[in-house]
Amino acid sequence: MLLTVTLNAALDLTYRVPRLRAHETNRVTEVAERPGGKGLNVARVLAALGHETVVTGLVGGATGAVLRTLLAASTGVRDELVPTAGTTRRTVAVVDASTGDTTQLNEPGPQITPGEWGAFLARYATLLSGAAAVALCGSLPPGLPVGAYADLIRRARAAGIPVLLDTSGEPLRRGIAARPDLVKPNAAELAQLTGSTEPVRAARDARRRGAGAVVASLGAEGMLAVTPDGAWRAAVPETIAGNPTGAGDSAVAGLLSALAEGLPWPSRLARAVALSAATVAAPAAGEFDRRTYDALLERVEPVALRSR
Amino acid sequence: MLLTVTLNAALDLTYRVPRLRAHETNRVTEVAERPGGKGLNVARVLAALGHETVVTGLVGGATGAVLRTLLAASTGVRDELVPTAGTTRRTVAVVDASTGDTTQLNEPGPQITPGEWGAFLARYATLLSGAAAVALCGSLPPGLPVGAYADLIRRARAAGIPVLLDTSGEPLRRGIAARPDLVKPNAAELAQLTGSTEPVRAARDARRRGAGAVVASLGAEGMLAVTPDGAWRAAVPETIAGNPTGAGDSAVAGLLSALAEGLPWPSRLARAVALSAATVAAPAAGEFDRRTYDALLERVEPVALRSR
């Protein structure tokens, strides 16, 4: 079983407007609601890949109840979310139909109490015992210690479970010091962490800080893996047009599943790159296009980088 | 008892952002939720003025349940909303803290079935029998006939209950033909209805089309009343700075309460103008500042217009 953790779950709303006019009244023509937060997105992709998948994290209030109802309708994801008194946040993606541009509004999330964090830790311990690998994903809600991910990483390592961390800022910095097996920052997050805008140098620095391996997403330039076994770069052979929402979460799903399967690093990287591109190609945000994925997986060829 | 009808109720969200950046990710720093839709806003003001107030209309789904919970916490408003299978819409007001400007996003509202409309009509008939006056407010949700307000006006008139209509577009046009006692368009709605941008001329035209009286809000220039007893214009003696959200709904509350009390037209107009300005002056959107209201009510002096 693969486990994903979403501490700051969200009810994701997508609003389509003919043309977004700031400082005016906009009539929304289409509304879509789905369970959100990076870990839930990762889980949906894992389940679609055929993996037994469990989600945990924190969820509460009326929006939390809607999220759980929608989650129950997604096949193959088991809900082990822990309830909170506070209300799960919403995110609103406003898609301007005239340009395709998206304006994102993210609520901050509920205040988590020490008792709720304790209840989560107990559930996490139970779930870890049956997990082949765990992904810790996204921002921390208010009230949690900034070292919350570091704590979860230490517990996974103590249980002998491979652990992937996908977050940013201070929680990423603290998390890396707890020695996760893999982190997946984008170029900006890596630069913020290390002070270096050169991705290979920054990824090597992140490894020195404690990360077992670093897979950095470089947007249209594909991905970079810096690992104990060597360093590789991979990209899709042609430009993929579409919606990049969820591409990073699909990459995490590819990495986590390949990590659990014990595949070599070039195969892990190829899977992440192909899934990510197949998500950009899919018409619905956060879904992946299966045929694009299968076709790309055969064609993505990671290139080894010289060691320095 | 005063009755307000909100067929397209809403859960109103207010998001505060430091500076709204289109096509980027915006962190929302403050979230407020409250029951919305014009009729619910009018009811809140009526209750604050000390009137026994009942709200009806259509409400459903998870957002509808949150709306009703919040409504139950407002003192003095009795909830006689009729349930729908569809989900009550949200509106999102994004306030840019750097400029004070608001960008509004309005969901379309749920599809209403003929059975739900029938259940509403039965509830409306029961409530009308105990009402001193009724206000019909806001847009129509999908599925309702465009003549829905005209139908409700005819039923109120048959029951001998004074009826006020505050809507726009085709529902306003159809509603006016059913001879409501009072309509409260703004200048733009009046121009759209009549084709005339000169408010006095347009208001007289609206009366010829069937409205017993017309009170038009003219923004900073105050309000205009064209009635069977004469025509008046009134404004506050000085410019009021603040947030105009809800000012029109407060004006409706002032007019409805004064209509039910049988006050003469100049007093009705003065109450509407003072309440509207006291709403602009209040720090929270849609609330009114009681001291400003009391002070202005004594100082607003409607001026009679020469008949033509």
Side-chain angles (χ1 to χ4, degrees):
Chain A
M1 168 273 270
L2 298 175
L3 178 63
T4 75
V5 172
T6 312
L7 296 176
N8 206 5
L11 182 63
D12 283 349
L13 310 182
T14 302
Y15 284 175
R16 196 174 173 86
V17 297
R19 196 171 72 81
L20 179 61
R21 292 159 304 165
H23 311 148
E24 294 188 32
T25 295
N26 296 270
R27 202 172 285 270
V28 176
T29 51
E30 277 177 52
V31 180
E33 282 186 345
R34 58 171 216 171
K38 282 172 183 277
L40 293 175
N41 299 339
V42 170
R44 232 179 351 248
V45 175
L46 288 170
L49 288 171
H51 293 276
E52 187 193 344
T53 308
V54 175
V55 294
T56 188
L58 298 162
V59 78
T63 47
V66 172
L67 183 157
R68 298 187 88 158
T69 303
L70 294 171
L71 187 62
S74 346
T75 47
V77 177
R78 193 171 102 221
D79 174 353
E80 291 281 355
L81 294 159
V82 173
T84 60
T87 297
T88 292
R89 68 196 172 114
R90 283 164 288 230
T91 74
V92 183
V94 184
V95 179
D96 181 325
S98 70
T99 62
D101 286 323
T102 297
T103 303
Q104 186 75 36
L105 297 157
N106 292 345
E107 295 187 12
Q111 187 75 25
I112 306 301
T113 66
E116 288 163 351
W117 180 234
F120 170 78
L121 288 175
R123 183 80 62 99
Y124 179 68
T126 306
L127 293 170
L128 268 186
S129 67
V134 57
L136 311 175
C137 303
S139 60
L140 296 177
L144 286 190
V146 71
Y149 281 133
D151 188 355
L152 300 185
I153 289 163
R154 281 189 289 265
R155 289 167 194 252
R157 287 176 55 81
I161 311 300
V163 55
L164 183 160
L165 176 64
D166 183 14
T167 187
S168 60
E170 192 60 22
L172 174 61
R173 184 184 304 273
R174 301 280 193 107
I176 281 181
R179 312 190 77 77
D181 296 272
L182 177 55
V183 295
K184 197 218 65 63
N186 60 32
E189 288 160 352
L190 201 50
Q192 195 201 8
L193 175 74
T194 64
S196 169
T197 55
E198 200 293 295
V200 178
R201 180 176 303 171
R204 292 193 198 280
D205 185 7
R207 285 201 66 224
R208 277 192 296 274
R209 289 164 185 262
V214 177
V215 175
S217 48
L218 308 175
E221 281 143 69
M223 291 185 196
L224 165 75
V226 177
T227 82
D229 303 337
W232 291 266
R233 196 189 275 270
V236 291
E238 64 272 337
T239 305
I240 305 279
N243 184 346
T245 304
D249 300 330
S250 289
V252 169
L255 292 168
L256 191 73
S257 63
L259 187 70
E261 291 168 35
L263 297 184
W265 277 107
S267 302
R268 295 179 192 179
L269 188 61
R271 187 179 286 188
V273 167
L275 261 181
S276 188
T279 302
V280 174
E287 313 285 320
F288 71 94
D289 184 82
R290 168 77 61 173
R291 290 175 59 179
T292 304
Y293 171 59
D294 290 339
L296 286 175
L297 193 56
E298 294 184 2
R299 296 177 59 210
V300 173
E301 294 186 355
V303 176
L305 305 180
R306 284 178 309 197
S307 63
R308 287 186 298 184
Chain B
M1 171 271 271
L2 297 176
L3 178 63
T4 76
V5 172
T6 312
L7 296 175
N8 206 5
L11 182 63
D12 283 349
L13 310 181
T14 303
Y15 284 176
R16 196 174 173 86
V17 297
R19 197 171 70 81
L20 179 61
R21 292 158 305 164
H23 311 149
E24 294 188 33
T25 295
N26 297 270
R27 204 169 283 269
V28 176
T29 51
E30 278 177 51
V31 181
E33 283 186 344
R34 58 172 217 171
K38 281 172 183 275
L40 293 175
N41 300 339
V42 170
R44 231 178 352 248
V45 175
L46 288 171
L49 288 172
H51 293 276
E52 187 192 344
T53 307
V54 174
V55 293
T56 189
L58 298 161
V59 78
T63 46
V66 172
L67 183 157
R68 296 187 89 158
T69 302
L70 294 171
L71 187 63
S74 349
T75 46
V77 176
R78 194 171 102 218
D79 175 353
E80 291 280 355
L81 294 160
V82 172
T84 60
T87 297
T88 292
R89 69 196 171 116
R90 283 164 289 232
T91 73
V92 183
V94 185
V95 179
D96 181 325
S98 71
T99 62
D101 284 324
T102 297
T103 303
Q104 186 76 34
L105 298 157
N106 292 344
E107 295 187 11
Q111 187 75 26
I112 306 301
T113 66
E116 288 163 350
W117 179 233
F120 170 78
L121 289 175
R123 183 78 63 98
Y124 179 68
T126 306
L127 293 170
L128 267 187
S129 67
V134 56
L136 311 175
C137 303
S139 61
L140 296 177
L144 285 191
V146 70
Y149 281 133
D151 188 355
L152 299 185
I153 289 163
R154 282 189 288 265
R155 288 167 194 252
R157 287 175 54 82
I161 312 299
V163 54
L164 183 160
L165 176 64
D166 183 14
T167 188
S168 59
E170 193 60 21
L172 174 60
R173 184 184 303 272
R174 300 281 193 105
I176 281 181
R179 313 190 77 75
D181 295 273
L182 176 56
V183 295
K184 196 216 67 65
N186 60 31
E189 289 159 353
L190 202 49
Q192 195 202 8
L193 175 75
T194 63
S196 169
T197 55
E198 200 290 297
V200 177
R201 181 176 302 170
R204 292 192 197 279
D205 185 7
R207 286 200 67 223
R208 278 192 295 273
R209 290 163 184 263
V214 177
V215 174
S217 48
L218 308 176
E221 281 144 70
M223 291 186 195
L224 165 73
V226 176
T227 81
D229 304 336
W232 291 266
R233 195 189 275 271
V236 291
E238 66 271 336
T239 304
I240 304 280
N243 184 345
T245 304
D249 300 330
S250 289
V252 170
L255 291 168
L256 192 73
S257 63
L259 188 68
E261 291 168 34
L263 296 184
W265 277 105
S267 303
R268 295 180 190 177
L269 188 61
R271 187 180 285 188
V273 167
L275 261 180
S276 188
T279 302
V280 174
E287 312 286 319
F288 70 94
D289 184 82
R290 167 77 61 171
R291 288 175 62 180
T292 304
Y293 171 59
D294 290 339
L296 285 175
L297 193 56
E298 294 183 1
R299 293 177 60 211
V300 174
E301 294 185 356
V303 176
L305 306 179
R306 283 178 309 196
S307 62
R308 290 185 300 186

